[in-house]
Amino acid sequence: MRLHLTFGQLPMHEYHSEIARLELVNLGAADYLKSVDPTLWVTAFYAGPYYGHKTSNVVESTNKVFKDQRELPIPDLLDAIWHYTMNCRFKRYIKVTQLGTGSQIHTEFGFQQLPNNQRWAMANSVVLSSLTSGLVTQSNHKTYVTNLHLRTCTCGHFQENGIPCGHAFTLIRSLQSHIPVHPNPRDYVPYYFTIVA
């Protein structure tokens, strides 16, 4: 019997149900997985930001970038890494100086994420539980708990890079009609996505 399980990208409640399914098929495998701290390998349990990268093996990305240089002697490899890094920094610097001449305050990535997530929020509804959190419901009736103070959402996208997801946009939009000082989604974009940074 073949059992297809995808633990790494599951929400917490689905992780527990998949472990229960595995226990029915192979108790030893389930016990082994339960003995490993899930914060080390299950996305839903990881509390930190992802910075847009949801893999546990970033080394593979590095290997791909330096596939031609990785077999070089160490001094030559370090020199290649240094040149690559300086070239990337220079390109980013030029991009920032071009962007900095206008009214745009966020990097290109941050600037693109905001309207995408805002469009995603248009069909959602929210039930506020406080001035920083609420239960957001999509048009397909899926619900997500969003907390602006903690910068989290059970969809996982808010904590991926710190930019408000569509559910956070829905919550912010709802708060704008309830409190005198209107929150702005741009206020929640992390500093490292600003041109100044």
Side-chain angles (χ1 to χ4, degrees):
M1 176 179 179
R2 185 180 282 189
L3 183 66
H4 178 69
L5 300 169
T6 54
F7 292 105
Q9 302 293 325
L10 292 178
M12 286 185 199
H13 70 279
E14 290 182 29
Y15 164 81
H16 294 299
S17 65
E18 290 295 310
I19 287 288
R21 267 187 40 192
L22 182 60
E23 285 175 335
L24 297 173
V25 178
N26 188 332
L27 185 59
D31 288 341
Y32 169 75
L33 290 176
K34 287 192 295 187
S35 72
V36 179
D37 180 4
T39 61
L40 300 176
W41 66 283
V42 181
T43 303
F45 290 87
Y46 178 69
Y50 298 106
Y51 304 106
H53 200 317
K54 281 193 173 182
T55 180
S56 60
N57 195 353
V58 180
V59 173
E60 290 306 319
S61 301
T62 306
N63 281 339
K64 183 177 180 184
V65 169
F66 297 110
K67 65 181 178 203
D68 296 331
Q69 294 87 1
R70 64 184 177 188
E71 300 300 324
L72 292 172
I74 299 229
D76 295 335
L77 174 62
L78 292 174
D79 187 55
I81 292 171
W82 185 85
H83 279 90
Y84 175 84
T85 304
M86 292 298 108
N87 190 35
C88 286
R89 289 186 68 166
F90 180 72
K91 286 178 183 176
R92 288 180 186 156
Y93 175 76
I94 294 300
K95 186 100 169 171
V96 162
T97 55
Q98 292 167 348
L99 291 173
T101 58
S103 61
Q104 186 173 329
I105 60 170
H106 295 105
T107 62
E108 191 172 343
F109 177 79
F111 186 73
Q112 289 172 352
Q113 293 297 305
L114 289 170
N116 289 342
N117 293 346
Q118 187 172 12
R119 277 192 298 278
W120 181 26
M122 298 309 252
N124 298 343
S125 62
V126 65
V127 175
L128 294 173
S129 58
S130 74
L131 290 178
T132 60
S133 63
L135 184 66
V136 179
T137 305
Q138 295 181 166
S139 58
N140 63 1
H141 306 294
K142 288 187 176 184
T143 58
Y144 299 90
V145 178
T146 306
N147 188 312
L148 297 176
H149 178 69
L150 299 176
R151 297 175 184 247
T152 60
C153 182
T154 52
C155 76
H157 293 290
F158 197 173
Q159 50 270 37
E160 181 177 323
N161 54 32
I163 296 174
C165 62
H167 307 112
F169 259 91
T170 304
L171 183 61
I172 293 167
R173 190 179 67 224
S174 177
L175 288 172
Q176 288 173 343
S177 61
H178 286 86
I179 58 176
V181 179
H182 300 314
N184 187 324
R186 291 183 177 174
D187 298 339
Y188 292 93
V189 176
Y191 174 74
Y192 46 81
F193 284 121
T194 63
I195 291 172
V196 174

